[in-house]
Amino acid sequence: MHDLIAITALGGLEPRVDTVAGTILSENPGLALASVHARMGHEDACRAHLADLLDGQVPEVGRTVLRDPEAAFWTGPDQWMVGAPFDTHEDLAAELKARFGDTASVSEQTDAWACFDLRGPGMAAVIELLCPINIRQMQTGDAQRTSIHHLGCFVLRRDPSDWVRILGPRASATSLHHAVLSAMRSAL
Amino acid sequence: MIINHPLLGPRDSSEFVYMGDASLIERPDPEAETAASDFVEYAYLRDNPASWLRELWFHEGGDRSWLVVTRNTVTHEISQVEMARDVARSKGRSK
Amino acid sequence: MSQVNRLDGGQIDRAASFKFKFDGKDFFGHPGDTLASALLANGVRLMGRSFKYHRPRGPLTAGSEEPNALVTLRDGARAEPNTRATTAELFHGLTARSQNCWPSVKFDMMAVNDAASDFLAAGFYYKTFMWPAPFWEKVYEPIIRRAAGLGALSMKEDPDEYDKGFRHCDLLIIGAGPSGLMAALSAGRAGKEVILADEDFALGGRLLSERLEIGGASALDWTAQTVAELSSMPNVRLMPRTTIIGAFDHGIYGAVERVSDHLAVPAKGKPRQILWRIYADKTLLCAGATERPIAFENNDRPGIMLASAMRSYVNRWAATPAHRVAIFTSCDDGHRTAADLHAKGVKIAAVIDTRAQAPQSFDYEVLAGAEVSNTKGRLGLTFVEVKLADGSSRTVECSALGMSGGWNPNVHLTCHQRGRPAWDSVLSAFVPGGSLPQGMSVAGAAMGDFTTHGALLSGAKGAADALGIKTADVPMAEDAPPKQAAFWFVEGAKRAWLDQQNDVTVKDVVLAHQEGFRSVEHLKRYTTLGMATDQGKTSNMGGLAIMAELAGKAIPEVGTTIFRPPYTPVAIGALAGRMRGMEFHPTRLTPSHVWAKERGAVFVEVGNWLRAQWFPIAGETHWRQSVDREVAQTRASVGVCDCTTLGKIDVQGADAAHFLNKLYCNPFAKLAVGKVRYGLMLREDGIAMDDGTAARLAEDHFVVTTTTAKAGPVYQHMEFVRQCLMPDADVQLISTTEAWAQYAVAGPNSRALLQKIVDPEFDISNEAFEFMACANITVCGGLRARLFRISFSGEMAFEIAVPSRYGDALMRRLMAAGEEFDVVPYGTEALGVMRIEKGHAAGNELNGTTTANNLGMGRMVSKKKDSIGTVLSERAGLNEEDALKLVGVKPLNRAEKITAGGHLMAAASPVDAAHDQGYVTSAAYSPEVGSMIGLAFIKSGDARMGEKMRLVSPLTKSEVEVEVTSAHFVDPEGGRQRA
C-alpha cells in the first residue's frame, strides 16, 4: 500500500460541506470513475458486459442506471461513464478492462472530475441559476451534460429527486464550487 | 438558437462549436491526379449562401458528436439535424 | 414639504412613509409609489432638462416608455444615470438627482441652447462642424458632448452582483394586464408550465390604473383574486419586476428581473438583477398599448403628459399632477381621464376635443372642435392657448394638461425577428403583422383589442389556441368599441415636440423632408427621431404621420421602422452576470497548486490555468535571479516542474495507430509499444497546428499530449477526423488531462531522484528505460503511475504522472527525496528558458503561419502515407528556396538585448519591409550562453549560420547586431537527454 495522502478537488484533506437555507452542497471525493466506450463492431458485446455489470440494465441516451456498488450513465453514442465507491473500487478502470476485454476502450476518469452533491428543497432554484437544464422536467435517473459558467459538467438527478450530482472538471473545482455556492446564496 | 440533436433532443446552440460548411466531410482523394487543386478548393473555397446551408456543429458541451445542421442563414430556421458520422458514411467515407 | 397633490385612495400603503431625496431636498412618499408618483404628490413637476435644448421637463408617461423624467438614481458607486422616475420604485432613503443641468434644474446655464434652437435643428452637426476637419475631434465634439446628453456614469466599479439564469415553460406570457392574467389563468388551470412576466412591480397592467368592473366586481378585486389563484399554482411562475427585453431565435427570450432595485441595497449574497434566458415553447404577447401624444407648440412643458398617465397617477397612486387640469383629446379616451380626475376631486379646467361631435359633460366644460395652439409657463405649465372651433382664441388656466391622441399597440417584441407591423386603418395604428418570432402570438391591446372584455377574451383564446386547450370562461367587462381617429399634430406647429428624449420637433421632420430625406430610415437617422433609449415608443408614429403628410402619402405607404432588442435599456452588469474580474472565466488549478502557493510561487495565467511562473527564495529581489537559479540548478542537478496543463488525450482502439498516422504528418504506425514519439500536427492547409508526443502504452492504446493552449481545439479536431473523415475506424477518444498530475523531473540527477520514488520492481536505468521510453509503473509502494522518458529541457528528463488527488503528495515527496540532490522546483519561465536554449518550438513558433518546412521539420512530413495537411504542405509557395527557417540568434555584444517581435535585416541593407529577412519569435536570457538568445525565422536561415545581421525594432527605435546560430544552443548532439 502506498503512503501518499490524497487531497480533495478543492485542495483540502477533508471534503467541504456548505449549507444555505437547508440546501446542502457537499464535495464528494468518494467516487471512482471510468469511461467505457464500445469498440467498433463490438457494440452488442460491450452492452452485454455492461448489462451484466448493472443487473441487466444499460443506460440509454441521457439516462443513468443508479445502483450499488457500480452505477453508470450515458455520455455519448456507445459511451458510458461507470462509477463505484472509491474506497472499494480505486482500480475500477483495471477491473472494467478485465471484464470488457477487447469489446471496449476503458479509461480511468476518477480524478478527471470533481464531484459535488447538491441536495435540498432549493436544489431546482439553484440549478436554474447555473445551467440551461430544464430541471423542472428532469426526472430521477436523468443525466445531462451541460455548461455551468463555461465549465462542461454532467448533472445527474438522483433519488430522492431533491438531489443532483454535479461532475465538473477537477482542475476548475474551485471555480465550480464558487459558482454553485454563489447561486445558492442568490436563490435561497 | 436551438438545435434538435438527433439523440439528445433540443439543445441550446451555446453548447455547440460551429465550424461552417459541411463540405469539409468530403475530403478529396490525396491519390488523385488533381489532388493539389482539389485540396485547394477543399481547404479554401466555400459557398456563402443567404439561404440553406449544411453546416458542421460540434456538441462540445454535450456528447461530443459532430452534427450536420441544415440551417437557413437568413432566418436561422433549421430543417434537419444529422449525426455527421452517418453523413460521412453516406458519402462513402470509411477508415 | 407636504404631499400637496396627494388624493384619497390609490394603491399605496399610507400606513408607512418613505423619506427620499430629490435634488438635495427631502420628501415623503409611500410604499407602492414610484419616484415620479411621489414627486408629483409632492407638487414637483419639473424633473429634468432635455437632451439638446435643456428645456425643463417633467414626466410624459407613467411607465417604461418615458422619454423625459430621467434621473440619476442613488449616489456613489451605485449611482445609475438615465433611470426612469416613472418606473423607479420608491424605497426609504432613495436619493435621485436631475440630469443635464447646471447649476440646477431650475436655473440651467445651458438653456441658452434653447434660445439658439434655430441653429440646432436636424442635421446641425453635419452641416456646422464640417470644417476644419481636425476641429471636429478636438474642439466641437468635446463641447457638444458636454452640452448635450443625459446623465453621467459614476466611473466607479459596480458594487452589486448580477446573476444569469435559465427557465423553461410551455407558455410565456408577456404582460400581466387583463389579457395576460386571463391567459395565465387558462393555461395554469390546464396544468401547463406557465411563466407570467411583467415589468411592473404589481401585476394587473392597466387594470391597476382604471375604475373598471370585471364580472360585476371591481377590476382591482378581480385582479387580486386572479393573482392569488395563479400564485397558488405550482405550474405557474409569476415574474413581476421582469422585463422581457428581446425575442430571439427559436422561442428564446431574454428577461431582466429587477430583484433588488426596490431596495436601498441588495441583501447579502442577493443579486441586484437576474438576466434570464427563457425557453418558451409558445409565447403570448400581452404587452398592451401606449397612448399617443399630440404635437402642438410648446407641448413639452412640465405638467403636460399623456392623459392615460394622469389617470394612472390619480387612480393608482392617488397623486395628481395639479389641482387644475385640462385635457386635450382627439378621442373618447380623453374624456375617461377627465371623468376619473373629476371623480377624485380634481378641477377640470376644460376638455379640448378636436372633434366637432365631442361628447358633452355636466361636470366640466368641453370645447368641441378646438385645438391647443400654444402653452405658457417657464418651469411648468400655467396656461394653454386654445383655438376654438370658430377660429377665436381662448386662454385656459391650468397647471397640467393631459393629451390623448389614441393608442398604439405595443408591437415591439413582434419585430425582433424582423416582423413588420401591419397598418390597421380602423385604429389608425400599426398592429402586429408579418412573421412573428417562432411560437409567438399576440393578445389584448397589443393586438388592437382595446376593450377590457376584448382583452380578457383574446387572452383566454390566445392561450387556448397556443396550447390546444379549452378556452376558459371569461367574465363580463366593459366592451365599448374604441373610437380613435388619427390626430397627430396641430397645423402650423413648429416647436412641437415629437421625440422629447432626443429633442426632435415637427420642424426638424419638415426640414429633413425638404432636404430630401424621404425614406423613413433616413429620416430617423438624420433627425435622430426614435433613436434615444426609449426607441421612440411615444414619438415614432407622430414623425411618420408628418412625413406621410409631407409626401402626400398614407402612413402605411411611408412604412415604419421596426424595433430591436432590448425593449428597455439593460444595465451592462446584467449582461455580464458573474463573469467579471477573476470570474470572467473559470480558473484551472494544477494538482501542485496548494503546495506551490505555500512555496510562495508567483503565478501566471496560461489560458485558464494558473501556473507557477517562478519560485522566489529569500534574498531574491528580481525575477531573473529566481529564473536563472532554477535553470542553473536543474541543468546542474535536478528540477521539477508541474506540466499537468499539457492536454492529454487517451486514444484507444484497433485503428488507433492508423488514426494517429492520419493526424500527424510524421509516421506512427510502427511505433513500438513502450515508446514515445514527437508528433507534428498540420492543418489541412499545410500550416502547423500543434505538436506533442504520443506514447504507446499498448498495441491499441496511446496517450497523446497537446500544448496547454491547444488542448481543446486539438481534441475537437481529433473528433472531427474520427467522426467525419474516418467514421468506420475503430478509435475511441477521451480527455484525461485533469485525471493525471504530471511532473517533469529534469536534470542529470533526475533518474537518481526517481529511483527513490519508483517501486523497485521497475528498472529505470538507461539500458532498461532509454530515451523516449514509456511505461505503466507504480510509485511509493504501489500507487499506479505512468512514466515517460521525454525531455523539453534537453537534459536527462522524465515525466511522471499519478492520479491527480495524489499530485500534491507526490510533489512534496519529490522535494523531500530530492533534498540530497539539491532539487529545485521550476516554473514556466525557467521551462521557457530551457526550451529556447534547446531550440524546441512552442506556441510562439507554432503561430498559425508556419509550416513544417519553416520549423526545420520538413523532412518529418511523410510522403509514404496520407495525413492531414500533407498535400497542401507540398505547395510551391510554401517551399521556396528562401523559405523562413527556424534558427537561433545571439547578440554580438553580450550585454545587448534580444527582443521577441524584432525583425532581422542583412548587415548592410535599408531597414524596410522590402528588405525584411525574418523575425524573432522567442527570446530569453540563457545562463548557459551567458547572454540573451532568441529563436528566429530567417529566410534560408539554415544556410546563413554565422552571418551577422541587425535585429531592428523601428517601433522602439532599437537596433542590435546579432549572429545567426543553430537553434540548439545547448547540447546540440542530444547527449544529455540520452544519458
Side-chain angles (χ1 to χ4, degrees):
Chain A
M1 189 55 195
H2 69 82
D3 57 354
L4 295 178
I5 296 166
I7 60 170
T8 71
L10 290 177
L13 290 173
E14 296 299 325
R16 184 164 164 171
V17 179
D18 297 271
T19 304
V20 177
T23 295
I24 303 164
L25 175 67
S26 36
E27 186 186 12
N28 178 358
L31 200 61
L33 294 166
S35 67
V36 171
H37 196 160
R39 291 273 171 96
M40 187 75 62
H42 297 277
E43 292 83 357
D44 291 341
C46 177
R47 288 178 74 92
H49 281 302
L50 202 56
D52 190 37
L53 178 74
L54 303 171
D55 298 337
Q57 303 172 79
V58 174
E60 296 307 324
V61 175
R63 294 284 295 166
T64 60
V65 170
L66 300 172
R67 61 179 286 289
D68 286 321
E70 294 91 353
F73 60 95
W74 186 94
T75 56
D78 300 316
Q79 199 176 342
W80 298 269
M81 188 78 81
V82 177
F86 181 84
D87 287 345
T88 51
H89 291 70
E90 183 169 352
D91 284 329
L92 180 67
E95 291 161 19
L96 292 176
K97 187 61 192 169
R99 177 186 282 267
F100 283 79
D102 281 343
T103 67
S105 293
V106 176
S107 190
E108 177 167 338
Q109 289 282 299
T110 301
D111 283 353
W113 302 93
C115 176
F116 294 99
D117 286 313
L118 175 68
R119 196 167 169 179
M123 181 275 291
V126 176
I127 289 294
E128 281 190 334
L129 291 183
L130 292 173
C131 60
I133 284 180
N134 187 351
I135 189 69
R136 284 159 75 96
Q137 298 296 319
M138 193 187 205
Q139 304 293 317
T140 289
D142 282 353
Q144 280 201 50
R145 191 167 191 150
T146 186
S147 186
I148 296 177
H149 287 215
H150 302 303
L151 296 168
C153 296
F154 291 104
V155 176
L156 319 175
R157 190 152 198 174
R158 312 274 303 178
D159 187 13
S161 66
D162 67 348
W163 173 15
V164 288
R165 176 161 289 173
I166 302 172
L167 299 177
R170 180 180 176 105
S172 303
T174 305
S175 293
L176 178 59
H177 179 262
H178 177 74
V180 179
L181 192 57
S182 299
M184 289 168 75
R185 291 182 179 135
S186 171
L188 306 177
Chain B
M1 290 193 294
I2 291 178
I3 293 173
N4 197 4
H5 190 298
L7 299 176
L8 294 167
R11 310 289 298 204
D12 194 299
S13 62
S14 64
E15 293 179 356
F16 294 80
V17 174
Y18 177 73
M19 200 168 75
D21 198 327
S23 68
L24 283 172
I25 291 173
E26 294 164 74
R27 188 171 182 265
D29 176 6
E31 303 297 325
E33 293 235 329
T34 52
S37 61
D38 294 347
F39 268 88
V40 166
E41 184 154 331
Y42 171 73
Y44 293 109
L45 301 180
R46 305 267 194 289
D47 289 334
N48 184 23
S51 64
W52 293 100
L53 182 64
R54 283 161 67 78
E55 312 172 320
L56 282 164
W57 292 75
F58 179 55
H59 198 193
E60 191 191 33
D63 71 344
R64 309 300 175 101
S65 287
W66 278 94
L67 304 180
V68 174
V69 176
T70 306
R71 185 179 70 107
N72 190 312
T73 57
V74 177
T75 62
H76 297 182
E77 191 186 338
I78 291 172
S79 64
Q80 195 181 12
V81 185
E82 303 153 89
M83 302 296 284
R85 191 173 215 159
D86 297 340
V87 174
R89 285 186 176 128
S90 76
K91 301 275 183 192
R93 303 215 68 88
S94 179
K95 283 194 178 180
Chain C
M1 192 169 170
S2 60
Q3 298 175 42
V4 292
N5 285 348
R6 189 67 85 180
L7 308 173
D8 292 336
Q11 297 144 58
I12 49 170
D13 177 10
R14 288 166 199 270
S17 273
F18 285 158
K19 188 172 173 180
F20 69 101
K21 216 181 256 300
F22 179 66
D23 277 341
K25 210 164 159 185
D26 286 336
F27 297 96
F28 287 91
H30 299 289
D33 261 326
T34 63
L35 175 59
S37 72
L39 283 172
L40 288 176
N42 282 278
V44 178
R45 289 173 299 173
L46 173 61
M47 297 188 195
R49 288 276 177 165
S50 75
F51 179 68
K52 199 157 87 176
Y53 300 119
H54 292 249
R55 304 260 299 185
R57 294 278 167 82
L60 176 72
T61 75
S64 67
E65 67 273 33
E66 176 61 31
N68 275 343
L70 308 182
V71 300
T72 298
L73 200 64
R74 299 185 161 87
D75 43 27
R78 286 199 168 82
E80 186 173 57
N82 308 335
T83 305
R84 292 151 174 73
T86 51
T87 58
E89 226 173 305
L90 198 67
F91 54 85
H92 190 67
L94 177 149
T95 58
R97 279 174 289 131
S98 53
Q99 303 179 151
N100 206 27
C101 50
W102 183 86
S104 78
V105 68
K106 286 188 180 163
F107 180 75
D108 176 8
M109 294 292 282
M110 292 309 292
V112 67
N113 279 5
D114 193 30
S117 65
D118 280 354
F119 305 103
L120 292 173
F124 146 83
Y125 301 132
Y126 309 123
K127 293 170 193 161
T128 314
F129 299 119
M130 287 174 59
W131 182 92
F135 266 49
W136 172 249
E137 210 176 300
K138 296 206 167 67
V139 181
Y140 300 138
E141 191 179 334
I143 292 173
I144 292 165
R145 290 226 177 270
R146 218 170 305 136
L150 299 166
L153 294 170
S154 74
M155 304 310 285
K156 295 188 176 115
E157 193 183 336
D158 188 338
D160 292 329
E161 292 174 42
Y162 298 82
D163 261 310
K164 289 188 187 180
F166 308 85
R167 281 184 173 169
H168 301 252
C169 60
D170 297 320
L171 182 66
L172 167 66
I173 302 166
I174 304 169
S179 53
L181 287 173
M182 198 62 227
L185 216 45
S186 308
R189 284 172 181 167
K192 299 293 183 180
E193 284 283 323
V194 177
I195 290 176
L196 175 60
D198 196 292
E199 58 181 350
D200 203 330
F201 56 90
L203 301 181
R206 269 317 290 178
L207 296 178
L208 304 176
S209 294
E210 307 288 359
R211 293 184 304 151
L212 291 170
E213 288 194 348
I214 293 180
S218 105
L220 285 176
D221 290 347
W222 182 84
T223 302
Q225 277 163 20
T226 303
V227 170
E229 183 179 343
L230 292 172
S231 303
S232 72
M233 296 179 185
N235 55 317
V236 175
R237 290 201 275 183
L238 304 179
M239 295 180 71
R241 300 188 174 102
T242 301
T243 305
I244 304 296
I245 58 165
F248 302 99
D249 289 311
H250 305 156
I252 298 176
Y253 290 80
V256 173
E257 182 182 9
R258 290 174 296 280
V259 178
S260 307
D261 280 359
H262 60 296
L263 306 171
V265 174
K268 192 168 165 6
K270 301 295 173 197
R272 180 185 164 216
Q273 299 177 348
I274 301 175
L275 178 65
W276 292 100
R277 179 183 295 209
I278 298 176
Y279 302 86
D281 194 30
K282 292 287 190 314
T283 300
L284 194 62
L285 180 69
C286 303
T290 301
E291 199 171 19
R292 310 195 280 229
I294 301 172
F296 49 89
E297 201 73 11
N298 290 312
N299 62 338
D300 64 330
R301 298 194 192 282
I304 303 178
M305 62 177 70
L306 297 176
S308 59
M310 273 182 178
R311 212 151 76 216
S312 296
Y313 286 121
V314 167
N315 287 332
R316 178 172 171 183
W317 287 292
T320 183
H323 287 285
R324 188 178 167 83
V325 175
I327 304 291
F328 181 25
T329 183
S330 66
C331 54
D332 289 355
D333 204 69
H335 294 260
R336 185 189 274 183
T337 300
D340 281 14
L341 264 60
H342 176 79
K344 284 274 198 171
V346 177
K347 169 78 181 163
I348 301 298
V351 173
I352 302 136
D353 194 322
T354 58
R355 301 167 298 179
Q357 304 301 319
Q360 290 300 314
S361 167
F362 294 111
D363 300 323
Y364 41 79
E365 186 179 17
V366 175
L367 305 173
E371 293 170 356
V372 174
S373 57
N374 204 346
T375 70
K376 289 273 161 56
R378 198 175 69 84
L379 297 176
L381 186 68
T382 49
F383 293 99
V384 297
E385 280 173 23
V386 180
K387 193 175 134 208
L388 298 172
D390 62 6
S392 63
S393 284
R394 181 173 143 187
T395 299
V396 176
E397 187 186 351
C398 58
S399 298
L401 175 71
M403 301 180 272
S404 183
W407 292 76
N408 287 329
N410 288 332
V411 300
H412 309 77
L413 286 159
T414 69
C415 301
H416 285 185
Q417 297 290 311
R418 298 207 64 75
R420 245 166 220 289
W423 181 252
D424 182 318
S425 53
V426 175
L427 299 175
S428 300
F430 283 103
V431 294
S435 57
L436 303 187
Q438 183 181 315
M440 182 190 276
S441 48
V442 189
M447 198 60 212
D449 264 322
F450 285 160
T451 70
T452 308
H453 189 255
L456 293 168
L457 197 61
S458 79
K461 203 169 159 338
D465 290 350
L467 299 172
I469 55 174
K470 248 179 59 205
T471 307
D473 290 336
V474 172
M476 284 312 297
E478 158 272 330
D479 197 16
K483 287 187 204 150
Q484 65 177 48
F487 189 89
W488 309 102
F489 60 97
V490 172
E491 283 296 337
K494 287 190 179 66
R495 299 206 77 202
W497 266 260
L498 292 166
D499 182 338
Q500 300 207 27
Q501 193 176 351
N502 262 354
D503 263 351
V504 181
T505 62
V506 171
K507 193 176 75 170
D508 293 321
V509 176
V510 173
L511 185 66
H513 184 262
Q514 276 169 10
E515 295 185 353
F517 294 90
R518 307 286 160 93
S519 140
V520 60
E521 298 289 349
H522 290 165
L523 166 84
K524 178 172 162 174
R525 278 151 189 85
Y526 192 59
T527 61
T528 74
L529 177 83
M531 289 179 70
T533 59
D534 66 348
Q535 287 196 55
K537 292 188 179 73
T538 55
S539 62
N540 281 354
M541 281 303 295
L544 276 180
I546 291 166
M547 248 192 103
E549 181 174 293
L550 293 168
K553 291 179 180 171
I555 289 176
E557 290 175 66
V558 176
T560 179
T561 58
I562 59 176
F563 301 89
R564 60 180 73 160
Y567 178 69
T568 51
V570 177
I572 292 289
L575 298 174
R578 294 195 178 270
M579 309 308 162
R580 289 167 43 174
M582 277 306 288
E583 291 173 57
F584 182 66
H585 58 64
T587 302
R588 301 172 83 181
L589 303 178
T590 66
S592 66
H593 184 81
V594 175
W595 166 84
K597 231 169 126 177
E598 288 171 17
R599 291 282 292 223
V602 173
F603 292 97
V604 59
E605 281 187 62
V606 183
N608 290 351
W609 290 98
L610 276 188
R611 295 188 74 180
Q613 200 170 9
W614 61 83
F615 296 83
I617 59 171
E620 286 174 346
T621 53
H622 190 276
W623 64 271
R624 264 283 306 284
Q625 293 172 305
S626 311
V627 174
D628 289 358
R629 172 183 50 78
E630 290 170 15
V631 171
Q633 226 166 310
T634 300
R635 292 212 187 278
S637 180
V638 59
V640 181
C641 179
D642 191 330
C643 56
T644 303
T645 61
L646 291 185
K648 305 179 204 74
I649 298 167
D650 214 38
V651 181
Q652 297 192 46
D655 294 319
H658 171 59
F659 174 74
L660 294 184
N661 240 1
K662 180 74 74 178
L663 209 65
Y664 289 109
C665 70
N666 51 318
F668 273 85
K670 297 206 177 98
L671 181 66
V673 172
K675 294 292 176 197
V676 187
R677 185 171 287 171
Y678 174 82
L680 181 67
M681 224 177 259
L682 304 181
R683 307 192 311 220
E684 197 65 90
D685 62 1
I687 302 291
M689 173 190 263
D690 197 48
D691 69 350
T693 58
R696 194 163 198 171
L697 293 174
E699 200 59 39
D700 56 0
H701 187 183
F702 292 79
V703 174
V704 164
T705 68
T706 73
T707 58
T708 299
K710 287 283 177 63
V714 167
Y715 179 81
Q716 180 185 327
H717 174 64
M718 287 170 75
E719 283 289 7
F720 173 75
V721 174
R722 184 177 85 93
Q723 297 176 33
C724 297
L725 301 183
M726 305 173 72
D728 291 334
D730 179 30
V731 184
Q732 293 81 36
L733 305 174
I734 192 161
S735 166
T736 59
T737 304
E738 308 192 10
W740 298 88
Q742 191 154 324
Y743 301 134
V745 182
N749 280 321
S750 55
R751 182 182 297 118
L753 170 54
L754 281 173
Q755 275 166 339
K756 295 179 71 178
I757 305 252
V758 172
D759 290 336
E761 60 266 41
F762 298 99
D763 183 357
I764 59 169
S765 67
N766 198 32
E767 296 68 42
F769 199 73
E770 58 185 15
F771 183 54
M772 298 306 263
C774 66
N776 282 313
I777 58 163
T778 61
V779 297
C780 300
L783 177 64
R784 61 200 179 283
R786 287 172 177 172
L787 190 65
F788 310 88
R789 188 161 167 207
I790 50 180
S791 175
F792 201 43
S793 57
E795 299 300 326
M796 178 212 288
F798 299 80
E799 288 189 12
I800 183 164
V802 295
S804 294
R805 70 180 63 201
Y806 301 112
D808 176 85
L810 180 67
M811 180 59 95
R812 291 175 201 272
R813 184 65 54 86
L814 285 167
M815 288 298 129
E819 254 179 56
E820 63 173 293
F821 308 110
D822 203 14
V823 66
V824 65
Y826 66 93
T828 56
E829 283 300 321
L831 176 90
V833 169
M834 289 191 277
R835 74 98 190 161
I836 294 170
E837 287 182 331
K838 185 62 187 168
H840 280 310
N844 294 13
E845 287 73 38
L846 300 167
N847 60 15
T849 69
T850 52
T851 63
N853 183 37
N854 298 143
L855 291 161
M857 301 186 215
R859 270 174 298 175
M860 271 174 63
V861 183
S862 172
K863 314 277 185 208
K864 295 199 189 113
K865 56 149 186 162
D866 170 47
S867 65
I868 306 287
T870 308
V871 172
L872 291 182
S873 74
E874 288 165 3
R875 283 177 292 171
L878 298 179
N879 295 281
E880 303 273 1
E881 274 295 301
D882 67 345
L884 295 170
K885 287 287 167 70
L886 186 64
V887 293
V889 290
K890 59 181 183 187
L892 294 186
N893 175 353
R894 282 173 171 269
E896 286 200 289
K897 203 175 163 189
I898 304 285
T899 312
H903 278 244
L904 291 147
M905 302 289 160
S909 79
V911 176
D912 57 29
H915 294 84
D916 187 22
Q917 297 298 301
Y919 59 99
V920 174
T921 50
S922 300
Y925 177 80
S926 164
E928 186 100 355
V929 176
S931 75
M932 285 202 77
I933 57 170
L935 297 180
F937 286 109
I938 299 181
K939 286 181 179 173
S940 314
D942 50 349
R944 297 170 82 164
M945 293 299 143
E947 184 178 331
K948 310 278 185 287
M949 301 187 79
R950 289 178 298 156
L951 175 62
V952 303
S953 170
L955 199 65
T956 56
K957 296 193 172 60
S958 70
E959 182 168 323
V960 175
E961 281 189 294
V962 298
E963 181 190 338
V964 179
T965 69
S966 157
H968 310 291
F969 293 92
V970 164
D971 190 28
E973 294 76 31
R976 294 187 195 176
Q977 61 197 20
R978 291 190 172 79

